[in-house]
Amino acid sequence: MTQFLGTVAVLVWKDLKLEFRSRDILVSVLVFGLLVALLFSFALKPSPGEGARLAPAILWVALAFSGTITVTRTFVREQEQGGLEGLLLTPASRDAIFLGKALTSFLFMLAVEAVLLPAFSALLAAPLLSAGIAVTAVLATLGFATLGTLFSAIAVQTRSREIMLPVLFFPIILPLLIGAVESSAHALSGGGFSRWLPLMGVFDALFLVLCPWAFGAIMEE
Amino acid sequence: MVAMVNKPSGVNPPAIQVRGLSKSFGDRLVLRDLDLEVSQGSFLALFGANGAGKTTLLRILSGQARADAGSVMVAGCSLPKHATTVRRRIGVVSHRGLLYDDLTCLENLVFYGRLFSLSDPVAQARQTLQRLALDSHASQRVRTLSHGQQKRLAIARAILHRPVLLLLDEPEAGLDRDSVNLLEGLLKDWTAQGGTVVMTTHDQARGAAWAHRAVVLADGHIHEQDAVQVERRS
């Protein structure tokens, strides 16, 4: 177990170091997210009441697309530099490799959300800085990063990966995104924690069990 | 000199034992009913035209690809059943460096050393860099190295964990004369310490000069090259 966690930590540390030096994921994703918030803000000019009604959909569209860029880039970087082949030649467990990559994407997405949530809150005039939204964001991001990492690993080995990832990934992640939108709407209407949250937790648990197993099977060849 | 090879204790099975190996891609049969045995401490040069299946064979031997049929034993373990153990015992140099451009030479080796659970990855990484004459580039990022230096670093990555078997896919390609001499010396020491080497190359003269045995992969089969069956060098 210690070795397993050690491998996960080594992989995350490596990815954080690479990102700190290249900044090619966080900067592009942040710019994209902020641009979406700015465009919707100018286009809709929402009043506080309208903002609370529109914010869940706008927020999760922006986070879904920025999350897709994040999970894709983490694997594309491995593929471009041959690192994935290098990782698979080590005795490191496939589960640990998968969870290391998923955890990296999860951390990157949380970092982006920590910047985007206050920005969306200000630009859409919606109170997005609440405990209900924070729990929703963490649960949705965990599931998104886990399943996204698996599909990214599949898509990165195909020629048309930019097309393959959304086509394969979004139909399966849709229930979790619907849960995130509903739960965010519930929190913004002052209802606190939504009944969607346990369901999102179940999705996360399912993805965390199935995805590492599927990754191991896919990476066999 | 510090031992470069961690030889497994006990009975010494062949480093590689392949029986009836077949592999196809779609309709194209690349390897057909192939047999190959490589004894421990030997150096095998593998020749063959482009597309003959040399890289495919190395990928199967390293557990990166699965055979359609046949049995494969590497470093005393059957593949794919004991793939994790095999990966611990082999070192691979492929066409790609398998290195991270934005990490330094030392960081790359320490990273891989940790994945191989080495007891002191930093010390072993420094030692390996020194063996490949890259110690002065330890804190240099990989993207700033020349092609030849990157290739040497890829070799350093492959031998870092002191494997018993080295699978090298054209390791000398792109190396200057000094680096080729360095590689030759390293591989000579390697086999002298009981390590096994399988190297693909298009340079038949070099392959024949370095190796104890040379074979040609053609039509999906291994053909022994009697003319270049070389005496084991001291």
Side-chain angles (χ1 to χ4, degrees):
Chain A
M1 192 62 185
T2 314
Q3 193 176 345
F4 182 90
L5 293 176
T7 302
V8 174
V10 166
L11 285 162
V12 172
W13 179 246
K14 181 266 296 173
D15 277 336
L16 292 179
K17 193 178 266 187
L18 284 173
E19 180 56 24
F20 180 73
R21 288 180 183 169
S22 66
R23 294 187 184 89
D24 63 343
I25 297 174
L26 289 179
V27 170
S28 59
V29 171
L30 272 174
V31 168
F32 171 79
L34 289 171
L35 215 61
V36 171
L38 209 62
L39 281 173
F40 274 107
S41 171
F42 273 97
L44 301 172
K45 294 185 182 65
S47 65
E50 285 174 334
R53 191 173 58 84
L54 296 171
I58 298 169
L59 176 72
W60 284 104
V61 165
L63 292 184
F65 283 109
S66 58
T68 308
I69 300 171
T70 306
V71 293
T72 308
R73 280 305 304 166
T74 55
F75 257 105
V76 167
R77 184 155 60 194
E78 291 287 353
Q79 187 77 353
E80 282 172 352
Q81 302 188 8
L84 185 59
E85 191 183 338
L87 293 180
L88 296 174
L89 279 167
T90 70
S93 118
R94 272 54 184 146
D95 291 356
I97 292 173
F98 175 82
L99 289 175
K101 299 306 292 179
L103 185 56
T104 303
S105 293
F106 177 65
L107 292 175
F108 285 165
M109 287 174 70
L110 280 187
V112 168
E113 286 163 14
V115 176
L116 289 185
L117 278 174
F120 272 77
S121 187
L123 291 166
L124 298 174
L128 288 166
L129 303 176
S130 68
I133 297 285
V135 174
T136 303
V138 169
L139 286 177
T141 305
L142 182 61
F144 196 99
T146 308
L147 191 67
T149 299
L150 175 67
F151 279 90
S152 181
I154 298 168
V156 86
Q157 297 182 61
T158 64
R159 281 183 193 164
S160 49
R161 61 188 173 217
E162 286 82 7
I163 300 164
M164 288 303 287
L165 183 67
V167 167
L168 296 171
F169 174 55
F170 278 116
I172 298 176
I173 200 68
L174 196 62
L176 191 70
L177 286 177
I178 290 171
V181 171
E182 291 289 345
S183 181
S184 302
H186 188 76
L188 283 170
S189 65
F193 295 109
S194 156
R195 64 188 167 84
W196 283 88
L197 291 174
L199 193 64
M200 292 169 69
V202 171
F203 270 112
D204 288 353
L206 207 63
F207 293 158
L208 280 168
V209 171
L210 292 178
C211 292
W213 171 80
F215 177 80
I218 291 161
M219 290 299 133
E220 279 301 309
E221 185 152 8
Chain B
M1 187 175 67
V2 179
M4 293 188 292
V5 182
N6 280 335
K7 283 200 289 185
S9 54
V11 186
N12 288 342
I16 295 170
Q17 193 171 38
V18 174
R19 293 277 178 267
L21 174 67
S22 293
K23 176 73 179 175
S24 59
F25 295 103
D27 295 338
R28 191 167 157 259
L29 195 59
V30 178
L31 304 174
R32 62 181 80 191
D33 202 21
L34 182 147
D35 294 331
L36 176 67
E37 191 163 311
V38 181
S39 56
Q40 279 190 28
S42 67
F43 188 144
L44 177 83
L46 182 61
F47 304 128
N50 290 332
K54 303 186 297 295
T55 300
T56 300
L57 178 58
L58 289 196
R59 284 178 61 80
I60 291 171
L61 293 176
S62 62
Q64 291 176 280
R66 281 192 181 200
D68 297 335
S71 68
V72 181
M73 294 275 288
V74 173
C77 301
S78 68
L79 280 172
K81 194 177 177 188
H82 300 292
T84 306
T85 311
V86 168
R87 284 194 287 270
R88 204 174 282 285
R89 293 180 183 174
I90 63 168
V92 178
V93 174
S94 73
H95 288 282
R96 308 178 74 186
L98 314 185
L99 300 161
Y100 295 97
D101 289 348
D102 284 311
L103 294 184
T104 66
C105 297
L106 185 65
E107 286 169 343
N108 264 290
L109 294 196
V110 170
F111 169 70
Y112 278 108
R114 294 208 163 110
L115 292 182
F116 276 96
S117 308
L118 300 184
S119 53
D120 189 349
V122 178
Q124 258 173 276
R126 287 195 183 282
Q127 205 174 63
T128 311
L129 284 174
Q130 197 171 14
R131 185 70 183 84
L132 271 298
L134 285 167
D135 41 338
S136 59
H137 302 283
S139 49
Q140 213 174 315
R141 287 192 199 182
V142 169
R143 67 165 68 252
T144 65
L145 298 177
S146 69
H147 176 75
Q149 288 167 335
Q150 289 189 18
K151 194 89 186 192
R152 265 156 50 204
L153 187 61
I155 296 164
R157 179 195 49 73
I159 66 169
L160 175 71
H161 57 290
R162 297 171 185 171
V164 293
L165 169 65
L166 276 178
L167 301 171
L168 312 175
D169 202 356
E170 299 177 32
E172 84 288 11
L175 292 182
D176 60 24
R177 186 182 296 185
D178 288 344
S179 298
V180 168
N181 291 339
L182 187 82
L183 177 65
E184 184 183 9
L186 183 134
L187 297 180
K188 205 171 174 181
D189 290 345
W190 195 269
T191 48
Q193 291 183 26
T196 310
V197 178
V198 175
M199 181 179 92
T200 73
T201 180
H202 287 289
D203 188 333
Q204 297 220 2
R206 183 173 288 147
W210 288 12
H212 303 139
R213 180 182 156 211
V215 295
V216 177
L217 184 56
D219 306 321
H221 297 288
I222 291 285
H223 303 272
E224 295 287 337
Q225 271 213 326
D226 296 335
V228 289
Q229 187 89 27
V230 282
E231 289 290 323
R232 185 178 178 131
R233 293 163 298 158
S234 58

